[in-house]
Amino acid sequence: MSEASTQYKKQDGKLFLSLDGKTVSWKPNNASISSVTILVSEIANLQQTPEKSAKVSIKFVVQKPSTSEPENHTFTFTSPSARAEQLAITGSLRKSIEIFKAQNAAKVASPADNSGGQPAALAIAQSLSTGARAEENPLSDSRLLANGDLQRSLLSSDPALSQRFNQAFREKPDSISIIQFAAQFWATRVHLLRSHAVEKQQSQGTYNVLSEVKPKNVDGTTKLNLSKEQIQLIFNQHPLVKMVYNENVPQLSEMDFWARFFVSRLFKKLKGEKVTETDSIDPKLDKYLNFDDDADRTRQLTMSTVPHFIDLEGNEQNHSQRRGNRPDVEMQPNSHEKVPILRVLNQMSEKMMADVPPSDVDLHTPAGMDEEKYKELQLRDLQRAAEDSRIILKIQNQGQLFSAEQGVHSSSDASTYAKRTPAQVISLIRHDVRSISAGKSKTHEFNLESGIGVVEEESSSDEDTGAKKRARVGSRSARTAATAQIINAVGQRHLHDDDYLSSRDTATSEQAAKMGLSKTVFDTLAMTHNTAVEFLHYFWAVFLSGNADRAGELEHLVGTLSRSIDRVQAVADSAEKERKAKMEKLKKDYEILAQKGKRRKFDPNSIKGGAKAVNTMMSPLVRAIDTAQQHYRKAYQAQSGQITN
Amino acid sequence: MNAIDGTDRHIKTDEAPPPSLLAIVLDTNPHAWAHLSSTLPLSSAIANLLVFINAHLASGNANEVAVIASHTHRAAWLYPIPQSTTLPTSQNGTSNGDMETNGAPTEPSVPENPNKYRPFAIIEKAILSNFAKLLDTTKESDLASTPTTLVGGALSLALSYIAKSTLLHSPVDPLATDNPLSALADSETMHAQRTPLTSRVLVISVSGDLANQYIPVMNAIFAAQRRRIPIDILKLAGDTVLLQQACDATGGIYMKPERPEGLLQYLMMGFLPDATARRSLVMPSAGGVDFRAACFCHRKVVDIGYVCSVCLSIFCTPNLPDNLCLTCGSYLSLAQAQTATPAVIPRQRKKKKKRVGGTDSATPGGSTPAGSGTPVHT
């Protein structure tokens, strides 16, 4: 039963299951081909073609302990009763696999109980693998937050941020540990860390040294400055120079070698300049002129598979040179002498790029391996727009859901409207509108001027009667009030637009001046605000975490917040002092003026700034802190009440 | 070549600012106007508005105006009157010069008055007569059913009229809808294009309770934002929540007069400059904007809401029936979104911890929604 005629690698043969159920073997009909033996214990997976399909085959996935990659063996059943044979084979195979696995599991279990060495090893392996997984994304939030060096380097590169950090750090309650504080601080600034990490990863690539090194003419003698790094780079980029150096330097002094090299024909050639007859001849270096500098070129040219884009072999049939065209001047061999600079520059670029990790790996995956990706690169822009593949959003009829909620009773204005019945309302409005038509009937025309009410019998009388009568539409006082409101609004917008437009750094002094504050007060105020906001962040994070273990922390934070208000108050006081001093000075000036006979009235309101300006600016912050404290107190009362009960 | 040819091949570009279309949405909610009648009667308001319209038309030869009444039960055109579809009249009736054919089909006789510029008289006549008609058809039952006005519908009318006028003003179809690339390069092409018509919407609002129409109004706002049509708001009465956002999102002007009696002054100073002029002016602004949204389930204005991740509907409560979004029906479990009840008292001992924790969850303390399950520790 456990024998079937099969094909393996297109060769006919017989598949056996051994009697003890430990091996599966395949013997070819043709004796010249080697047979295949598979240990049942090594079978990791068994696959068969679907029952309906015409082709009947079975696939073994074999995991040998010696190799890491699993091997595949596929046997196709060829006899007329292929399906039945296959079922028989797989059935008996399954049985023996199960028996083997049961034995094996018992074996594995017993040593694990005894030693405990294996679990430890496993744990190590696991931790290693998780570490490796995290390594895959160095920009993940958790890794960024754990990276203290990165945070320190960001702080040192951003003075404003570091100032803010230090200020908040100094004023934090003592109960909060540095670690907690830092975690909180950075949690809201992960994006900054990420961009900094990316920035740090960028480094400058190599450059074409030979064209950078330029002899300078000082006092009639040419001088050349060559750093150690540059020499290193020259050796890297031009192995030929390294060779020449190695062969000559003990004989020549190092200084001498470089001095000769930079005026030699070899140098010009490597740089890509044309060698002319007038160039000085150097017997030592000129013999290297015909050496190839591209000793390591093969390294760059090794590419496992060539993408179709640049696969010239693939384009042989359209090869224009085959049809008698001369290759382009840049593509011709031995054209060094004609346009050497082109080749040299190309080679230099290739060399430099060879060390740079490619950023477009995915795009250049070999065509044979992943045709899908290659297809992605096709010029789809030129194709017609693809069909929309959008998710259809099924919007239910909302009116039906909510119509019950609407109605007069739900309205906030309804109470005021309720004073009049709808009938009254209609008649009132109709009457009002008819008054327009009534005025019209007399003169056949609606007099707009009287309609808007700006026609005044006597403009001066308006002021007298205005007090007695209720404000008439279009009266002068109403218009003046309107003008004042709009001008005020324009002024306000102007102020805001200015803050918005000007950059932060330069504008602080201007802003301060606008508010009537000195720059130092303004800066202190900004700092106080920053730290207070930082603590508010922290407060809400802890408060809403619902973690009773952090309640102590919370208590301290509330204390810190109330101290923030004190700090704002302190700034306000100093601003007020400043304003007082300014006022005193101005008063004195006025007194001096008065003595000279020029009388001007002193107006204390003309001096802006002081505590009022500070409080206006800080009122949103104070409100936010108050709200936080209120929430805390409310929750505290509710919970302390519960505990005592 | 040019020298030989001698012809000047410079293309003359029109340097003059484009004509401006002003669409006015007049909130004619009778409740609110009756309430306002002591300070600003509707008749005076209309007179002021007519003067403002005349000023707008006078400030540009090709300027246009459209007036829509947003009434309690429907939004109605005051000017221009939609032409009846049975008449095969040509479409060019929208420009200023052809107003005779447009404003007057219902009432052909505009009285001759030597003291009034005829186009002004035509518009005035049309607005007044249409408004009187609207009032005559308003029944008491219409007023009793709702305290507010259909500003959403009126805004939609205004925007569609603007869109149509813009199309009529441009010699070629600016949308080029059959070009698939236009969708991609939308922002760039919009920028580069010559604007044939600058439009703006002015809403003169007297009603509150607009949260009922949060969705249609928001949609209108986004449409206006996309077409770069500023929506100006003159809020004579009522609460401010929604319309302020309209101004802020579209770059319009929001104004809530302290003295509604000076209406004309507000209109002239605040709202007369069109989009071209505004670029060189500092326009008045109200400062703080109330950005709160109205929830979709109860039309309440909410401070903290819950948003469906599929359709962006806003809900005021995390407890949705069957955990399904009310608008789009997709699964939406908001249990995770609830914040834990704050714990402010430190735990004493390990034993007590469980009990305190248990009672915590039932505490309706702080701002957190009551009746939540166990607190979610994050």
Side-chain angles (χ1 to χ4, degrees):
Chain A
M1 272 301 285
S2 50
E3 176 183 324
S5 51
T6 55
Q7 269 190 341
Y8 178 63
K9 291 187 176 162
K10 305 238 167 115
Q11 297 294 325
D12 285 313
K14 288 245 181 323
L15 187 69
F16 302 95
L17 182 62
S18 69
L19 285 176
D20 57 0
K22 279 191 178 157
T23 54
V24 184
S25 47
W26 177 81
K27 281 214 177 91
N29 296 345
N30 184 348
S32 65
I33 302 163
S34 61
S35 61
V36 177
T37 307
I38 298 165
L39 285 176
V40 172
S41 58
E42 288 170 351
I43 294 177
N45 202 355
L46 202 59
Q47 288 169 356
Q48 64 186 53
T49 47
E51 263 171 58
K52 296 262 162 52
S53 81
K55 197 179 159 197
V56 182
S57 64
I58 184 168
K59 184 179 174 190
F60 296 89
V61 180
V62 179
Q63 177 74 62
K64 287 193 175 160
S66 52
T67 55
S68 61
E69 286 292 324
E71 292 174 22
N72 291 337
H73 300 280
T74 308
F75 301 97
T76 312
F77 291 78
T78 50
S79 74
S81 57
R83 183 56 73 183
E85 280 183 359
Q86 183 256 327
L87 283 176
I89 290 266
T90 34
S92 41
L93 253 178
R94 273 203 192 111
K95 260 181 229 154
S96 34
I97 291 174
E98 269 167 24
I99 293 166
F100 169 76
K101 275 195 178 157
Q103 287 169 351
N104 206 29
K107 245 186 261 168
V108 169
S110 49
D113 287 340
N114 300 341
S115 64
Q118 196 181 2
L122 262 178
I124 290 167
Q126 271 170 354
S127 69
L128 274 177
S129 69
T130 50
R133 217 175 301 130
E135 199 79 45
E136 279 163 22
N137 188 6
L139 297 181
S140 68
D141 285 7
S142 53
R143 278 181 63 87
L144 287 171
L145 287 176
N147 193 342
D149 290 338
L150 181 71
Q151 289 163 7
R152 241 164 285 141
S153 107
L154 174 58
L155 281 182
S156 61
S157 68
D158 186 347
L161 191 66
S162 101
Q163 195 185 25
R164 191 172 187 155
F165 180 85
N166 290 332
Q167 180 79 11
F169 182 70
R170 231 176 291 133
E171 286 166 14
K172 79 173 172 63
D174 297 331
S175 65
I176 298 170
S177 74
I178 301 173
I179 297 162
Q180 279 173 322
F181 172 76
Q184 178 67 31
F185 185 83
W186 291 113
T188 51
R189 293 179 173 81
V190 178
H191 60 285
L192 293 179
L193 285 175
R194 185 167 295 130
S195 67
H196 186 68
V198 171
E199 204 178 303
K200 271 182 76 175
Q201 275 171 13
Q202 308 278 335
S203 59
Q204 206 163 13
T206 55
Y207 56 99
N208 191 352
V209 219
L210 288 189
S211 66
E212 286 293 311
V213 178
K214 287 197 182 82
K216 264 182 275 177
N217 204 335
V218 183
D219 305 332
T221 56
T222 39
K223 279 199 175 171
L224 190 76
N225 280 326
L226 201 60
S227 71
K228 219 168 88 185
E229 289 77 24
Q230 278 173 324
I231 293 178
Q232 200 61 42
L233 213 52
I234 290 175
F235 285 163
N236 266 336
Q237 287 178 0
H238 302 279
L240 179 64
V241 181
K242 195 175 183 178
M243 193 182 91
V244 177
Y245 179 84
N246 281 341
E247 288 179 11
N248 289 298
V249 161
Q251 295 93 323
L252 289 167
S253 78
E254 189 153 343
M255 287 278 287
D256 207 18
F257 171 78
W258 290 117
R260 284 170 78 162
F261 173 71
F262 278 103
V263 293
S264 68
R265 292 186 172 197
L266 182 63
F267 172 69
K268 282 197 117 179
K269 185 205 159 197
L270 290 177
K271 214 173 153 188
E273 285 171 6
K274 266 185 202 166
V275 180
T276 54
E277 294 304 317
T278 55
D279 285 329
S280 59
I281 294 169
D282 188 318
K284 273 219 159 116
L285 296 177
D286 280 357
K287 65 181 174 189
Y288 297 102
L289 262 180
N290 291 324
F291 277 59
D292 194 6
D293 186 29
D294 295 331
D296 62 340
R297 222 174 134 74
T298 45
R299 183 172 63 92
Q300 294 165 30
L301 288 178
T302 47
M303 210 177 202
S304 50
T305 1
V306 182
H308 274 338
F309 303 108
I310 54 171
D311 184 6
L312 293 181
E313 293 283 323
N315 284 333
E316 277 304 79
Q317 46 194 341
N318 289 328
H319 206 309
S320 73
Q321 287 161 34
R322 288 285 157 83
R323 304 186 177 172
N325 289 342
R326 236 165 78 96
D328 187 78
V329 80
E330 290 160 57
M331 303 297 286
Q332 289 169 22
N334 297 327
S335 64
H336 290 263
E337 289 74 33
K338 284 168 194 159
V339 266
I341 189 80
L342 288 178
R343 292 188 69 89
V344 168
L345 285 182
N346 262 338
Q347 279 169 15
M348 284 311 300
S349 317
E350 276 177 17
K351 273 181 195 169
M352 286 177 205
M353 291 309 289
D355 296 333
V356 177
S359 61
D360 51 357
V361 185
D362 290 343
L363 298 184
H364 284 287
T365 39
M369 203 174 82
D370 193 353
E371 202 67 30
E372 285 300 309
K373 282 217 169 105
Y374 176 67
K375 274 182 187 158
E376 274 177 26
L377 284 170
Q378 285 180 325
L379 300 173
R380 273 178 301 181
D381 293 4
L382 302 178
Q383 292 174 358
R384 300 197 131 253
E387 270 179 57
D388 271 353
S389 58
R390 300 186 191 188
I391 301 168
I392 296 169
L393 199 57
K394 295 190 194 79
I395 299 290
Q396 286 155 5
N397 184 10
Q398 295 155 343
Q400 183 187 349
L401 275 167
F402 315 120
S403 56
E405 315 279 345
Q406 289 190 25
V408 181
H409 59 275
S410 71
S411 154
S412 58
D413 291 331
S415 51
T416 53
Y417 296 160
K419 280 185 263 175
R420 294 183 181 83
T421 64
Q424 280 173 328
V425 166
I426 286 205
S427 70
L428 183 78
I429 295 294
R430 280 191 188 149
H431 177 77
D432 185 26
V433 172
R434 234 170 256 133
S435 72
I436 304 178
S437 322
K440 196 168 65 176
S441 63
K442 277 181 237 158
T443 58
H444 281 286
E445 193 59 42
F446 171 37
N447 189 346
L448 280 178
E449 286 176 58
S450 65
I452 60 175
V454 261
V455 185
E456 280 154 15
E457 307 79 43
E458 188 62 43
S459 54
S460 61
S461 73
D462 186 44
E463 301 303 319
D464 313 331
T465 54
K468 283 177 250 162
K469 282 200 290 184
R470 65 179 170 78
R472 199 167 44 80
V473 174
S475 68
R476 168 166 293 200
S477 67
R479 277 180 286 140
T480 321
T483 312
Q485 193 191 347
I486 292 175
I487 294 293
N488 193 12
V490 168
Q492 220 173 50
R493 167 70 79 93
H494 198 63
L495 197 72
H496 284 286
D497 279 0
D498 272 9
D499 309 347
Y500 179 69
L501 290 174
S502 50
S503 66
R504 284 181 306 174
D505 303 329
T506 55
T508 46
S509 56
E510 284 171 38
Q511 276 179 325
K514 216 180 260 178
M515 306 303 301
L517 299 173
S518 73
K519 192 168 179 328
T520 49
V521 171
F522 193 79
D523 285 346
T524 335
L525 198 59
M527 184 93 79
T528 315
H529 184 263
N530 279 349
T531 36
V533 168
E534 200 61 47
F535 286 127
L536 271 176
H537 264 299
Y538 204 171
F539 170 80
W540 285 111
V542 178
F543 186 69
L544 295 178
S545 73
N547 188 350
D549 291 334
R550 302 179 77 178
E553 211 177 312
L554 200 60
E555 208 180 318
H556 287 288
L557 272 172
V558 172
T560 318
L561 284 180
S562 57
R563 253 177 285 140
S564 293
I565 291 192
D566 295 344
R567 278 194 288 271
V568 171
Q569 198 50 52
V571 179
D573 288 346
S574 68
E576 189 61 37
K577 234 179 262 165
E578 213 173 60
R579 180 168 173 262
K580 283 251 169 66
K582 230 190 255 174
M583 251 160 68
E584 288 300 320
K585 189 170 168 288
L586 209 67
K587 241 184 204 164
K588 257 179 212 154
D589 289 352
Y590 273 56
E591 273 163 22
I592 294 165
L593 278 176
Q595 282 167 4
K596 285 181 186 166
K598 285 180 193 161
R599 286 199 69 88
R600 228 189 298 166
K601 212 178 157 198
F602 175 69
D603 180 15
N605 289 329
S606 66
I607 298 166
K608 287 191 288 185
K612 200 171 149 222
V614 171
N615 287 334
T616 324
M617 268 196 283
M618 286 294 124
S619 65
L621 180 72
V622 172
R623 213 158 56 224
I625 291 177
D626 279 346
T627 314
Q629 284 174 333
Q630 267 169 28
H631 275 289
Y632 175 77
R633 248 177 258 132
K634 226 194 253 167
Y636 188 83
Q637 273 166 15
Q639 287 177 30
S640 58
Q642 264 179 8
I643 284 173
T644 49
N645 287 346
Chain B
M1 278 299 281
N2 274 350
I4 299 165
D5 195 1
T7 50
D8 190 3
R9 290 200 188 280
H10 286 296
I11 298 163
K12 275 215 177 83
T13 48
D14 196 5
E15 293 294 323
S20 126
L21 166 62
L22 170 65
I24 299 174
V25 173
L26 176 63
D27 178 359
T28 57
N29 180 8
H31 285 294
W33 281 111
H35 185 63
L36 272 177
S37 57
S38 56
T39 50
L40 179 67
L42 181 54
S43 55
S44 315
I46 290 180
N48 283 326
L49 189 61
L50 285 173
V51 173
F52 173 65
I53 289 171
N54 290 350
H56 166 73
L57 292 177
S59 60
N61 228 357
N63 282 1
E64 294 172 25
V65 73
V67 187
I68 299 149
S70 132
H71 211 54
T72 44
H73 61 297
R74 67 197 186 97
W77 282 102
L78 295 184
Y79 178 86
I81 310 278
Q83 289 170 343
S84 57
T85 44
T86 49
L87 287 171
T89 44
S90 60
Q91 277 286 315
N92 62 355
T94 43
S95 75
N96 206 20
D98 300 326
M99 259 166 203
E100 286 90 340
T101 61
N102 202 358
T106 46
E107 205 143 345
S109 66
V110 174
E112 291 294 336
N113 184 344
N115 294 325
K116 200 165 254 180
Y117 184 47
R118 190 171 158 81
F120 292 175
I122 291 163
I123 291 175
E124 178 188 309
K125 173 95 188 159
I127 289 175
L128 289 179
S129 66
N130 288 326
F131 185 53
K133 235 182 274 168
L134 176 66
L135 276 184
D136 287 340
T137 54
T138 309
K139 291 192 246 12
E140 286 175 29
S141 57
D142 298 330
L143 288 190
S145 61
T146 174
T148 184
T149 181
L150 293 176
V151 73
L155 272 177
S156 309
L157 274 184
L159 289 175
S160 47
Y161 181 78
I162 286 173
K164 204 170 148 190
S165 301
T166 314
L167 283 184
L168 290 173
H169 271 256
S170 50
V172 287
D173 184 5
L175 294 174
T177 39
D178 50 349
N179 182 1
L181 286 176
S182 74
L184 291 171
D186 193 285
S187 50
E188 285 85 0
T189 49
M190 290 286 279
H191 209 68
Q193 243 168 28
R194 185 181 69 95
T195 41
L197 180 73
T198 60
S199 316
R200 64 189 199 271
V201 179
L202 167 62
V203 182
I204 298 173
S205 171
V206 288
S207 315
D209 289 325
L210 298 174
N212 279 333
Q213 300 170 62
Y214 179 79
I215 302 162
V217 172
M218 250 4 222
N219 284 338
I221 289 172
F222 291 134
Q225 199 177 19
R226 194 165 162 65
R227 307 298 317 200
R228 302 188 183 196
I229 298 167
I231 298 180
D232 302 336
I233 307 286
L234 182 63
K235 188 84 189 166
L236 292 169
D239 55 23
T240 59
V241 176
L242 193 47
L243 294 175
Q244 218 172 357
Q245 289 181 38
C247 290
D248 190 75
T250 58
I253 298 158
Y254 181 88
M255 184 139 288
K256 187 175 171 66
E258 287 153 6
R259 295 279 300 271
E261 301 90 355
L263 174 64
L264 185 59
Q265 188 71 12
Y266 285 109
L267 285 171
M268 289 296 199
M269 275 188 84
F271 299 99
L272 192 55
D274 66 358
T276 321
R278 277 178 200 185
R279 252 175 265 149
S280 6
L281 293 174
V282 177
M283 297 312 290
S285 82
V289 180
D290 189 346
F291 279 116
R292 288 179 301 166
C295 71
F296 285 31
C297 46
H298 305 93
R299 312 283 156 128
K300 282 191 289 199
V301 176
V302 289
D303 284 323
I304 296 175
Y306 303 88
V307 178
C308 170
S309 47
V310 176
C311 67
L312 305 182
S313 303
I314 302 159
F315 302 105
C316 61
T317 159
N319 302 317
L320 294 173
D322 304 332
N323 282 335
L324 293 180
C325 170
L326 294 177
T327 309
C328 67
S330 37
Y331 177 76
L332 177 65
S333 171
L334 295 170
Q336 292 293 315
Q338 292 181 60
T339 46
T341 312
V344 287
I345 304 216
R347 290 164 178 157
Q348 303 301 323
R349 283 185 296 120
K350 195 95 179 172
K351 268 258 169 102
K352 211 174 175 185
K353 193 169 165 184
K354 275 226 169 95
R355 201 176 59 81
V356 176
T359 47
D360 268 359
S361 63
T363 313
S367 63
T368 47
S372 56
T374 47
V376 182
H377 293 269
T378 46

